[in-house]
Amino acid sequence: MKPLISVLIPAFNEEANVRRAYAAIVETFSDLPGYNYEIIFTDNHSTDRTFQILQEIAREDRRVRVIRFSRNVGYQHSLLVAYKAASGDCSVQIDCDLQDPPQLIPQMIALWHQGHQVVYGVRRSLTDGWFTALIRRRFYRFINALSEDELPLNAGEFRLVDRRVLDELRRVDDTSPYLRGLISAMGFSQIGFEYDRQARVAGESKFPFRAMFALAVDGILNHSLIPLRIASITSLIMGTATFLLLVGYFIGKLIFGQDWPAGFATTTILILLSITLNAIFLGIIGEYIGRIFMQSKRRPTPIIEASLNDEYRPRHERAASRYQ
């Protein structure tokens, strides 16, 4: 049997791009006759014509599967569902805007055949403005420094993963997944390759600064306990400094007879500083507790509103619950 490649494409309000993405994948695999492929679109409850276009494509080509959610569940959740739904011997994830070139898929498959379970793209250049690009690169270095796992620098979501990794991802039950770090932390043989990211041709970016900031928070909290340790270390330092100041005050007062002036300003500053530090670190602790709370609720999320061509899955039993 020919190896089956699952191509995963998340989409949200991408009516200008879904047909381009589909055509680009079909053209890429026309040069790879030794492989079968399926294309899995995950529609994050688009409000434009994205789903209608995907329905048309799915009717024309049974290799195209479409999973539509009952609401916008976020980029990472939609990716996790796509990974769980993949039937292939490996999967390739690519964004619908084609900023990651599909022409590089044969190179990724070649590296996979060399025995690597994960093949990821390393962005040599970015199409973002200089400030956004700088923030991205600094973030990658920052999270790698904080994380207890070895996370690749400047790697995005353009990656190939082996069936072995896909089977492990089926077992993941996380209310705030960060797949880039999760897959990296699994180990196996992983290799990166450099490429230049392309400019978006049509449509608008669905990843504003707010979404990037939320992803950064997930990445840090999902892969590091250092924020909690910083809180503990800072409280220890502040407690030690306060104790030393208290000892110094008593020594000056009782031994040297110092008549200290009433320090209203100093006392006020110290109190406000203490309140500020408490608020910051309680916020950090609250982020972790909030994630524990959301995980413990066991919500059935994401909910699949519609699934097209699911009956044509060539491997593995068909079960919607496996997508959850």
Side-chain angles (χ1 to χ4, degrees), residues 104-120:
L104 295 176
I105 291 178
Q107 178 181 346
M108 301 171 79
I109 294 175
L111 290 170
W112 172 54
H113 279 300
Q114 292 177 15
H116 303 290
Q117 281 83 17
V118 179
V119 180
Y120 57 87

Side-chain angles (χ1 to χ4, degrees), residues 8 22 62 104 121:
L8 316 179
Y22 165 71
R62 295 298 186 181
L104 295 176

Side-chain angles (χ1 to χ4, degrees), residues 238-256:
M238 292 300 296
T240 303
T242 302
F243 176 75
L244 292 177
L245 286 173
L246 185 62
V247 171
Y249 174 82
F250 279 112
I251 290 175
K253 185 75 172 177
L254 300 177
I255 298 178
F256 298 102

Side-chain angles (χ1 to χ4, degrees), residues 148 225-234:
E148 298 176 3
L225 294 178
I226 288 183
L228 290 176
R229 290 170 184 163
I230 290 175
S232 301
I233 292 171
T234 303

